[in-house]
Amino acid sequence: MTSEEPPADDLSDPSYYLNRELSELSFQSRVLQQALDDRTPLLERVRFLAIVTKNLDEFFMKRIGGLKQQIEAGVTERTVDGRTPREQWEEAIDKARPMFEAQAQCYQDEIRPALADAGITIADYEDLSADQQAQMREYFETSVLPTLTPLSFDPAHPFPFISNLSLSLAVLTSRNGGDSTFTRVKIPQNRPRLVEVGESDENVVYVLLEEIIRANLDLLFPNVDVLETALFKLTRNAEVRRNEEVAEDLIDMIEEVIEQRRFATAVRLELEANAPESVTKLLIDQLDLDEREVIRLSGPLDYRELMDLTDLDRPDLSLTSWSPQPHSRFQGLDGGDLGVEDSDSIFDVIRRKDVLLHHPYHSFGDTVQRFLDEAASDPNVLAIKAAIYRTASDSKVIQSLIDAAENGKQVAAMVELKARFDEQNNLEWVRKLEEEGIHVAYGTIGLKTHTKTALVVREEADGVRLYSHVATGNYHSGTAKGYVDLGMLTADRDIGQDLVKVFNFFTGPALDEAFRKLLIAPVTMRDELTSYIRREAEHARAGRPARIVAKMNALEDPKIVEELYRASMAGVDIDLLVRDICRLRPGIEGRSENVSVRSIVSRFLEHSRIFYFENGARSASSQETGEAGDAGDPEYYIGSADWMTRNLDKRVEAVAPVEDRDIREQLRFILELGLADNTTAWEMQSDGSYERCEAGDDPVIETQSVLMEQALVAASDDSVTRGIPAKHEHVLETLLVESTATEETEESAEPEAESVDSTAPTPATNSDPEHVLDSFTEVWYVPDSAHYDYAIRTPDGDRVYRKTAEGAASVVKRLYSSN
C-alpha cells in the first residue's frame, strides 16, 4: 500500500453499473419470493401477494411511465449502464412479465387451495350452491347494481375514459343477433372486493365482486344478449409535471398535476388470459398501447384487496403478532408539572442524554408523538417546527401542531406537496393548518423537502434550549408500525442551530451553505460523503485499517458508486446493506473484491439509513494526529437520504452525526446484525443476481426477530437503560464505537471559569473520568475534529477542547463542580 493518489483507472465501462429499473425489479422479485416461499405463514404469503401488486403498480406508473415519456420525446441518451430509454423500457417489461405470471400461478396453484384447506374459501361463482347464488343475486341487485354505470362505445358514444388502476369488465352485447357493442363496467371501489357468502365455525366463504357482477349482467343489460366478457385493469403514467418556475401558485400546480394524472398516457394493460381477441384489439387501439404492454393473466388481476384476509383472527396462519414497545428511557414518565424545574418530563430525559428511537420496535405514539404532544402543552415551549413529507390521514402529529398554536406557541410546518401519491392528503392538511393560523411552507422551486426533522424551542433556567428530532422515517403513525426507521432526540445545540437554518430556508430566500454538524443536501452532503469515502481510501493506502458500512434503501448515484469502486481498489472493506436499487456490482476482479452487498426482506420494510466510516481508528494509537488523513475516531451518521442522485442533488435532506456512545453501540449492533443475518438476507453476486442466505447447521439469525426480542428485553428489564441491549451471543462485534487508541494524559493547565452555572448538577465523588462525563452529558460533546475528541461548553458560552477523557473530565469538574 502507498499514500499516492488513486490510479486514474477508467470506471466508465457500462458493465460496472447495474441498471436502475432492472435492479428495482430484482428487489420486487425478492419481495415476491416471500409469497412463493411455502415456509412463510399462509396469511403472510397473502400479504406479500398484495404488496407485490402495489409495488409493481407504482413501478409501472413511475418508472415505466417516465421511460415511455422519454421515448415519445425522442430521447436516445444512454444511461451509465449503457441503455437507451427504449432498451430500458423493453427489458423492464420483459423482466416484469414472468413476475406477474409467477404471482398468478402461486395464487391459483398454492395459496388459494391452501386457504381453502384452512377454512378460508375464495369460491368461483359457479361453485356456489343455488341458495348461495340467490343470496349473491339479491346482494347484487340491492347493493351493487345501483352503483354501476355502464359506458358503451358505439357511433353515438365515444370510447369511455378508463381511470388509472381501475378494475373493469369489458362486456360485448348484441340485440337480436346484430352487431356487437362494447361496454365498460367499472368494478366499484367503494364495495368490498371479497364478498362474504357464508360463515360457519369451521369455514368462511368469499366470492370476488367482479364474479358476482359477471354472473348477474342480465340485470344490468336487460333485453340484450351478453356475448363475451373480459376482466381488465389499466395503469396510467404518474409522471406528469408542470414547470414550477412558471407556475403562479404551487397549490394550483399540484391540483392540476393530480387531475392530469387521471388522464395520463396508458402504460400497461392487464387482461384475462381468455379475453376475446376483438376486446383485446379494441382496447389496444383505443388506449394507444403497444402489444408489449399487454399482460395476459389467469386469476384475479389485482391482489391488493386480499390484504383484508390478514385481519382474520387466525394466529395459526400468521406470524406472531407484534406490538411496538415503550422506550426504556421514557417509561414511568407522566410529564410532571410541565415548566417546573426538575419535573419528570421528556425534555429532562433528552437533556441528560440523547435518545435513539427504533420503529416499529419502539412505539411511535409513546416517543415521537409524545415529544410533540408535550411540546404543544408545555408552557415553557416557545416554538415548534416540523417538516412533513408524508403523514397519516388522521394525523395526530398535525393535531399536535394545531394544539401548540392554540396554546400560543409559534408553529411552522413544512408540508411537501410534491410527495408522490400523497399530494391530495398533504393538500388537505395544508388547508387545515392554514385555517388554524399556522404558517405553512409547502414547497421550494426545483427541490423536494425530504428531511424528517422537528425542532422544539424551550425556555429553561439557563436560557433557551433547542430539542431536535432527526429521523429516517416520516411523521406517519401508520407506516411507523410497518417500516423500520430510526430517529434521534437530542438537545445538542449545534444540531439545533443547524435545524434553525434549515427551517428558515423553507420560508426564506436561500439555503445556508455552512452547517456545524448536519450534512444537508443539496449544499454539503454530496461533498462531505465523498470526502469521507476518499478519506477511508487514504487510510487504506497508508496501511491503516479502513472500512465503510452503509445501510440504505438505494444506492443509485453513479458518482458515489465510482467513489466506492475506487475505495475498494485502494483496499477499503465495504459492506453495503441496500434494500432496493443497487447499481454497484460486488466481486469484480480488480474493482470490487472488497465489497459485499446484502438486501434484507422480511415482515417490516427496511427503511433506515445508517452510515459508518471507520476512519483508521484501530491504529490511531500509533499515528500522529492533527493532519488531514490521519487516524481518528469512527463516525456514525443517520438521516433521511439514500445515496441517490435525487436525494443528494434534488431534495432537501438531513443526515446527523451520532456522538453518544450508547447510541453508537446500538447502531453498531444493527449493522452487525444485518451482516450476520442468515435467514432474511440476500447476497448479491457479481453478475447482479441475488442468492438467499441460509442458516444451514448454524444458529438462525434473523434481523427483525432479534430486534423485537431486544425491544421486549429493554422494555421489561430495568437494568437496560437504552432502546435495545445491543448484545447477542451470535452477533460478532467487528465495528468500532470509539477509537482503540490509548489515551494520553492531559498535561495542559485548565482555564479558570469566570462564572459557575449554579443550576448544573454536582458531579458524584467518583473520580473516574467516564463517570464524570456521563453525569454531565449536557455540557460536552464530540467535535468534528481530527485532533480533539472532546469539546466542553463553558458557562460563558465559549468552548474548551481536550484530547482525552481525563482532560475533559478535569475541565468539567473545574467549571461545574461546587465541591
Side-chain angles (χ1 to χ4, degrees):
M1 294 288 192
T2 71
S3 59
E4 297 176 0
E5 289 298 312
D9 294 83
D10 182 12
L11 288 170
S12 62
D13 189 327
S15 66
Y16 295 148
Y17 302 88
L18 297 172
N19 179 259
R20 183 201 195 286
E21 322 304 343
L22 301 181
S23 183
E24 182 168 343
L25 285 173
S26 290
F27 167 64
Q28 302 305 340
S29 180
R30 297 192 293 279
V31 176
L32 176 60
Q33 189 60 42
Q34 297 293 107
L36 303 181
D37 190 344
D38 59 12
R39 296 173 296 181
T40 305
L42 182 57
L43 290 183
E44 187 74 356
R45 297 179 73 182
V46 171
R47 186 172 77 90
F48 275 103
L49 280 184
I51 289 171
V52 168
T53 293
K54 177 180 179 294
N55 290 355
L56 289 177
D57 285 349
E58 291 190 3
F59 177 81
F60 271 80
M61 286 190 289
K62 293 189 297 186
R63 306 307 308 173
I64 297 298
L67 290 171
K68 191 168 182 178
Q69 273 187 331
Q70 293 180 54
I71 295 168
E72 292 172 350
V75 176
T76 58
E77 182 180 351
R78 295 184 182 274
T79 55
V80 67
D81 53 273
R83 292 172 171 85
T84 65
R86 176 167 291 279
E87 289 169 342
Q88 293 178 78
W89 176 76
E90 291 177 354
E91 288 185 57
I93 292 177
D94 289 347
K95 183 167 183 173
R97 189 182 307 279
M99 294 171 61
F100 290 112
E101 294 168 352
Q103 181 189 32
Q105 184 176 358
C106 177
Y107 170 77
Q108 292 283 42
D109 296 349
E110 297 183 37
I111 291 180
R112 187 181 177 193
L115 285 170
D117 290 343
I120 305 169
T121 300
I122 302 176
D124 291 328
Y125 192 90
E126 56 268 25
D127 292 335
L128 300 179
S129 67
D131 288 344
Q132 288 173 326
Q133 289 187 3
Q135 174 192 345
M136 289 298 97
R137 188 173 178 84
E138 181 182 0
Y139 171 77
F140 172 79
E141 190 167 13
T142 59
S143 300
V144 180
L145 179 60
T147 73
L148 301 180
T149 304
L151 298 173
S152 296
F153 175 51
D154 56 31
H157 301 92
F159 188 80
F161 170 71
I162 312 296
S163 53
N164 184 38
L165 298 184
S166 60
L167 198 59
S168 302
L169 199 62
V171 182
L172 294 181
T173 59
S174 174
R175 184 188 294 273
N176 300 323
D179 293 338
S180 63
T181 298
F182 171 92
T183 301
R184 180 259 185 146
V185 179
K186 182 177 180 178
I187 308 302
Q189 295 175 320
N190 56 3
R191 297 279 78 194
R193 176 95 180 281
L194 287 168
V195 181
E196 189 173 320
V197 178
E199 182 177 7
S200 66
D201 292 339
E202 298 180 353
N203 196 29
V204 57
V205 178
Y206 299 98
V207 65
L208 292 171
L209 178 59
E210 57 264 34
E211 297 309 312
I212 296 174
I213 295 172
R214 195 199 306 256
N216 292 281
L217 286 174
D218 60 302
L219 297 177
L220 181 63
F221 298 103
N223 304 317
V224 296
D225 295 323
V226 176
L227 305 177
E228 299 275 8
T229 62
L231 196 68
F232 69 94
K233 173 184 168 183
L234 185 71
T235 306
R236 292 186 179 274
N237 179 19
E239 286 294 311
V240 292
R241 299 186 181 94
R242 277 193 60 197
N243 188 339
E244 294 178 39
E245 296 185 2
V246 300
E248 294 182 3
D249 188 287
L250 186 58
I251 288 181
D252 290 340
M253 188 201 81
I254 294 300
E255 289 177 330
E256 185 174 329
V257 165
I258 294 171
E259 182 66 16
Q260 287 177 351
R261 195 176 283 162
R262 295 182 60 243
F263 300 96
T265 305
V267 296
R268 177 186 61 169
L269 175 66
E270 295 168 86
L271 193 62
E272 262 184 332
N274 59 354
E277 188 58 34
S278 58
V279 169
T280 303
K281 186 176 186 307
L282 178 66
L283 290 172
I284 290 176
D285 291 344
Q286 293 299 320
L287 296 171
D288 194 22
L289 287 161
D290 187 283
E291 177 65 33
R292 187 186 295 270
E293 296 171 296
V294 179
I295 299 174
R296 295 172 175 81
L297 299 167
S298 59
L301 298 183
D302 191 316
Y303 295 90
R304 286 175 296 178
E305 285 80 11
L306 265 63
M307 185 73 81
D308 294 343
L309 294 177
T310 64
D311 293 330
L312 293 173
D313 186 18
R314 292 296 301 269
D316 56 316
L317 305 179
S318 308
L319 290 170
T320 303
S321 62
W322 171 250
S323 297
Q325 296 298 297
H327 196 289
S328 60
R329 293 279 302 281
F330 297 153
Q331 290 201 87
L333 296 183
D334 59 8
D337 295 322
L338 294 174
V340 178
E341 187 178 350
D342 296 329
S343 65
D344 197 20
S345 75
I346 196 169
F347 300 108
D348 295 296
V349 174
I350 300 168
R351 184 171 60 251
R352 286 192 290 268
K353 190 177 177 62
D354 294 351
V355 183
L356 183 71
L357 314 176
H358 202 182
H359 311 296
Y361 311 110
H362 298 140
S363 164
F364 181 87
D366 292 338
T367 54
V368 178
Q369 189 63 54
R370 179 181 190 139
F371 174 66
L372 296 173
D373 286 345
E374 288 201 25
S377 58
D378 185 338
N380 287 331
V381 167
L382 305 175
I384 303 176
K385 303 182 180 186
I388 308 296
Y389 188 73
R390 303 186 196 277
T391 191
S393 57
D394 59 346
S395 177
K396 293 182 180 179
V397 168
I398 298 291
Q399 188 58 51
S400 292
L401 300 180
I402 293 172
D403 292 345
E406 292 175 347
N407 288 332
K409 285 93 174 66
Q410 294 292 319
V411 179
M414 168 65 214
V415 181
E416 179 51 76
L417 293 185
K418 293 171 286 186
R420 195 179 342 233
F421 306 129
D422 276 279
E423 297 99 336
Q424 187 63 50
N425 187 49
N426 288 2
L427 272 173
E428 293 171 4
W429 281 123
V430 163
R431 293 182 175 121
K432 176 67 173 174
L433 289 167
E434 290 182 334
E435 287 172 4
E436 299 293 334
I438 294 172
H439 183 78
V440 182
Y442 41 77
T444 53
I445 291 177
L447 299 173
K448 277 187 180 181
T449 299
H450 195 249
T451 64
K452 324 297 186 178
T453 52
L455 181 68
V456 172
V457 184
R458 190 170 188 259
E459 181 79 54
E460 299 184 358
D462 56 350
V464 172
R465 192 179 292 268
L466 304 176
Y467 292 89
S468 306
H469 178 243
V470 181
T472 69
N474 299 306
Y475 292 99
H476 195 304
S477 57
T479 57
K481 296 176 182 177
Y483 285 26
V484 176
D485 273 306
L486 295 164
M488 183 171 67
L489 291 167
T490 179
D492 185 296
R493 177 161 291 275
D494 293 331
I495 289 178
Q497 292 290 358
D498 283 349
L499 283 184
V500 168
K501 290 184 179 183
V502 172
F503 279 106
N504 285 344
F505 162 66
F506 297 143
T507 55
L511 181 58
D512 201 319
E513 295 187 3
F515 294 90
R516 302 182 184 189
K517 288 188 177 180
L518 294 182
L519 309 184
I520 299 295
V523 289
T524 66
M525 189 179 297
R526 176 184 287 281
D527 288 345
E528 290 295 312
L529 288 174
T530 299
S531 71
Y532 297 158
I533 296 170
R534 290 179 178 176
R535 184 183 62 189
E536 293 300 313
E538 181 62 27
H539 284 314
R541 282 190 288 270
R544 295 185 288 266
R547 189 174 183 188
I548 297 170
V549 183
K551 182 180 186 297
M552 66 195 87
N553 300 328
L555 171 57
E556 174 273 340
D557 183 73
K559 293 180 181 178
I560 293 293
V561 171
E562 181 176 343
E563 292 292 343
L564 292 172
Y565 274 132
R566 294 196 183 282
S568 171
M569 292 159 61
V572 180
D573 290 326
I574 302 173
D575 294 298
L576 302 173
L577 292 164
V578 185
R579 183 198 76 204
D580 196 334
I581 300 161
C582 182
R583 281 195 182 273
L584 183 148
R585 288 176 51 198
I588 302 175
E589 184 177 356
R591 295 291 184 268
S592 56
E593 299 106 321
N594 297 318
V595 182
S596 74
V597 178
R598 287 181 143 224
S599 171
I600 293 175
V601 182
S602 193
R603 67 189 292 175
F604 305 129
L605 181 73
E606 291 290 334
H607 194 252
S608 58
R609 293 98 168 176
I610 309 172
F611 310 120
Y612 168 89
F613 301 94
E614 189 156 283
N615 196 20
R618 295 175 194 274
S619 58
S621 59
S622 62
Q623 301 297 325
E624 295 294 330
T625 58
E627 297 180 7
D630 285 341
D633 271 348
E635 295 180 345
Y636 288 83
Y637 293 84
I638 65 169
S640 60
D642 291 312
W643 290 356
M644 301 182 73
T645 302
R646 71 182 189 189
N647 298 96
L648 300 176
D649 298 338
K650 300 176 182 179
R651 292 185 172 186
V652 182
E653 305 273 10
V655 168
V658 175
E659 299 170 347
D660 181 274
R661 182 177 303 174
D662 277 344
I663 295 182
R664 287 184 170 205
E665 192 65 49
Q666 294 171 72
L667 296 179
R668 175 204 61 76
F669 181 77
I670 294 166
L671 294 176
E672 301 274 25
L673 185 57
L675 298 177
D677 189 308
N678 56 20
T679 306
T680 61
W682 295 71
E683 192 93 28
M684 188 197 282
Q685 309 304 299
S686 60
D687 63 355
S689 64
Y690 285 80
E691 292 184 3
R692 189 168 184 171
C693 298
E694 301 286 348
D697 296 330
D698 296 329
V700 170
I701 303 175
E702 197 273 302
T703 296
Q704 295 182 4
S705 294
V706 170
L707 289 170
M708 285 187 282
E709 294 168 2
Q710 294 250 319
L712 287 169
V713 169
S716 59
D717 187 341
D718 292 340
S719 68
V720 179
T721 57
R722 54 193 184 192
I724 58 173
K727 295 286 184 182
H728 190 280
E729 61 178 328
H730 300 306
V731 177
L732 300 177
E733 298 183 13
T734 65
L735 304 184
L736 301 180
V737 171
E738 59 180 342
S739 172
T740 56
T742 302
E743 298 287 0
E744 299 177 4
T745 301
E746 184 66 41
E747 297 178 350
S748 61
E750 313 298 350
E752 295 291 340
E754 295 181 5
S755 61
V756 176
D757 182 358
S758 60
T759 65
T762 301
T765 56
N766 189 328
S767 61
D768 174 67
E770 297 298 341
H771 184 85
V772 173
L773 294 176
D774 285 345
S775 298
F776 284 83
T777 55
E778 71 275 15
V779 302
W780 67 272
Y781 62 92
V782 178
D784 186 11
S785 168
H787 189 61
Y788 295 105
D789 293 332
Y790 298 87
I792 302 93
R793 298 185 180 91
T794 64
D796 60 3
D798 202 353
R799 299 286 190 277
V800 175
Y801 296 93
R802 290 292 177 264
K803 293 181 181 179
T804 66
E806 289 86 354
S810 176
V811 174
V812 168
K813 288 191 291 182
R814 184 182 298 273
L815 294 180
Y816 295 103
S817 173
S818 60
N819 293 332

